[in-house]
Structure formats: C-alpha cells, structure tokens
C-alpha cells in the first residue's frame, strides 16, 4: 500500500473540513487515538462518535490550513492549523502535528495529536 498517497488523500479531506469522513474512510476498526489533553479513543466507532460530536459543536470554520506532511515507512506526520468558532461562543485555534501509524492495508491504526505551538 502506498502510504504517501493515503496520507495525501486523508490530509486533503481533513483540510476540506470533512474530518468525520476522513475517519470513516481511513481508520482501521481497531484504531486508537491520543492527544496532548489526555483524551483517547479505542476503535474506529468511538472516534467517529467523538468527531461527530466535535463537528456538530462547530458554528463556523474560519480556516483549516494544511502546512506539511512527512512519511517515513508506515508512520506519517501532518501539520495543520485549525481555526473554529464554536456554538458555545468559544474559539478554537489549534496548531497541531498529527502523527499516524498505518497498517499494511493503508488504514490508520494509531493517531496521536501534538500541540505545535
């Protein structure tokens, strides 16, 4: 499986704001996630539910910028900036590195988020 092509496709979907679709298409059923805020998910279904809830709480997308991606073997790192106005009146501005481990079928088996600020 061409991991670089998978990363390019997934990052393009994320950059369009279709984060739930990216999870549905590219996550393996047993995928896990973790972030710098000590949040974690176990399994694709749990991540879909989490991302549907998050996406539903966004009032406005001010911008999603994909800066760079790197691939080394079955590991990728993608740098994004996310700028959202939330329905509760708060603002989210994240500059993140998203590290992914991919399986032989080209699916994400582990995704980890790092604050790039």
């Amino acid at each position: 499986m061409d991991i670089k092509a998978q990363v390019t496709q997934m990052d393009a979907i994320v950059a369009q704001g279709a984060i739930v679709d990216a999870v549905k298409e590219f996550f393996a059923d047993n995928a896990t996630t973790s972030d710098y805020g000590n949040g974690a998910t176990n399994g694709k279904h749990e991540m879909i539910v989490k991302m549907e809830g998050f996406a539903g709480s966004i009032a406005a997308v001010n911008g999603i910028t994909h800066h760079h991606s790197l691939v080394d073997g079955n590991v990728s790192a993608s740098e994004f900036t996310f700028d959202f106005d939330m329905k509760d009146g708060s603002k989210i501005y994240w500059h993140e590195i998203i590290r992914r481990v991919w399986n032989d079928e080209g699916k994400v088996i582990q995704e980890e988020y790092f604050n790039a600020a």
Side-chain angles (χ1 to χ4, degrees):
M1 178 58 61
D2 184 354
I3 301 301
K4 187 172 182 177
Q6 292 294 92
V7 171
T8 299
Q9 291 175 10
M10 185 174 188
D11 286 347
I13 292 169
V14 170
Q16 294 171 6
I19 299 167
V20 175
D21 293 339
V23 172
K24 287 179 178 179
E25 183 173 344
F26 291 97
F27 269 49
D29 289 340
N30 63 340
T32 62
T33 69
S34 61
D35 65 41
Y36 47 88
N38 295 320
T41 63
N42 290 300
K44 179 179 181 175
H45 176 72
E46 194 172 310
M47 184 60 168
I48 290 170
V49 170
K50 178 181 178 180
M51 289 295 97
E52 286 174 339
F54 177 74
S57 66
I58 298 171
V61 176
N62 301 316
I64 298 174
T65 304
H66 173 240
H67 301 283
H68 307 281
S69 293
L70 303 169
V71 178
D72 185 12
N74 72 329
V75 177
S76 67
S78 300
E79 179 185 6
F80 281 92
T81 301
F82 299 95
D83 183 0
F84 304 124
D85 291 335
M86 306 306 286
K87 289 180 179 176
D88 68 2
S90 65
K91 292 186 68 61
I92 288 179
Y93 188 83
W94 289 329
H95 185 192
E96 288 187 327
I97 305 295
I98 303 171
R99 179 185 175 273
R100 300 181 186 113
V101 178
W102 300 76
N103 67 17
D104 292 339
E105 290 79 42
K107 299 291 185 184
V108 174
I109 56 172
Q110 201 251 340
E111 187 170 82
E112 192 169 4
Y113 313 97
F114 297 91
N115 186 346

